[in-house]
Amino acid sequence: MIYTSGDWCIDSDSILTRAVFDFMCKNSTFSQIKDVVVEVNQVDLTDDNAFGFCQVDEDGEFLIHIHNDLNSEEYAITLIHELVHVKQTLTGLLNHDRREEEAVIWEKILSKEFWETFKGKKDVLDYWENQNNRIYALNPPITPLFP
């Protein structure tokens, strides 16, 4: 289950947030995240020099902080990265270096797959165009994520 909190400058209607979460829950490798409470908190992380980070409390509920000044592509990639950390915590992977290495690999694979799911979904594409957000579902940019 996913909740939202904080200063929602990006995705104010939580459409992208819920789409990413649902996408991850449908992936058999990450399906166990649907059984935990995840709160996504948009906040200014400028001073932390980070796009996002994930914490877990004593009740086993996860809190993902995401910088509130990202474009839609960066936001989706960051949320995917942090949801990978949720899965890693659930499965007992606690080594920091290994967690980051694995999360970076998964964010690249899954973000490309995620944006592919929007091909032909005009309502979602129109929403992002109306929000003046960048979306690369139809023509992904040439970047390390989209070679």
Side-chain angles (χ1 to χ4, degrees):
M1 180 170 289
I2 192 159
Y3 296 97
T4 59
S5 64
D7 301 322
W8 280 75
C9 301
I10 312 162
D11 190 30
S12 59
D13 297 325
S14 304
I15 292 172
L16 181 58
T17 303
R18 294 184 193 292
V20 169
F21 185 77
D22 291 346
F23 169 79
M24 294 288 287
C25 289
K26 290 176 185 171
N27 183 305
S28 61
T29 303
F30 296 93
S31 61
Q32 65 267 46
I33 67 172
K34 71 177 178 252
D35 298 325
V36 297
V37 173
V38 177
E39 179 181 340
V40 178
N41 177 39
Q42 282 190 19
V43 64
D44 185 353
L45 294 178
T46 303
D47 293 341
D48 296 295
N49 195 30
F51 278 4
F53 61 92
C54 180
Q55 298 172 308
V56 62
D57 68 16
E58 62 278 349
D59 297 327
E61 295 179 356
F62 292 86
L63 177 59
I64 295 174
H65 298 279
I66 296 185
H67 186 51
N68 63 4
D69 191 26
L70 303 175
N71 64 48
S72 58
E73 179 189 15
E74 293 167 332
Y75 181 81
I77 290 168
T78 302
L79 183 54
I80 289 168
H81 180 102
E82 299 308 327
L83 288 170
V84 170
H85 288 319
V86 170
K87 183 253 187 187
Q88 292 168 331
T89 301
L90 292 171
T91 58
L93 178 57
L94 303 177
N95 177 283
H96 176 75
D97 292 338
R98 179 77 174 111
R99 286 169 62 94
E100 285 304 314
E101 179 182 308
E102 184 177 281
V104 167
I105 291 168
W106 277 113
E107 79 182 25
K108 291 176 183 174
I109 294 167
L110 294 172
S111 65
K112 186 172 183 179
E113 288 178 12
F114 173 75
W115 289 118
E116 286 287 321
T117 65
F118 286 112
K119 284 188 176 177
K121 293 186 178 178
K122 187 169 175 19
D123 57 332
V124 176
L125 296 174
D126 286 347
Y127 171 80
W128 284 106
E129 286 175 12
N130 292 335
Q131 296 296 315
N132 294 319
N133 285 313
R134 297 185 315 158
I135 188 166
Y136 301 116
L138 297 177
N139 296 302
I142 305 301
T143 70
L145 291 177
F146 302 97

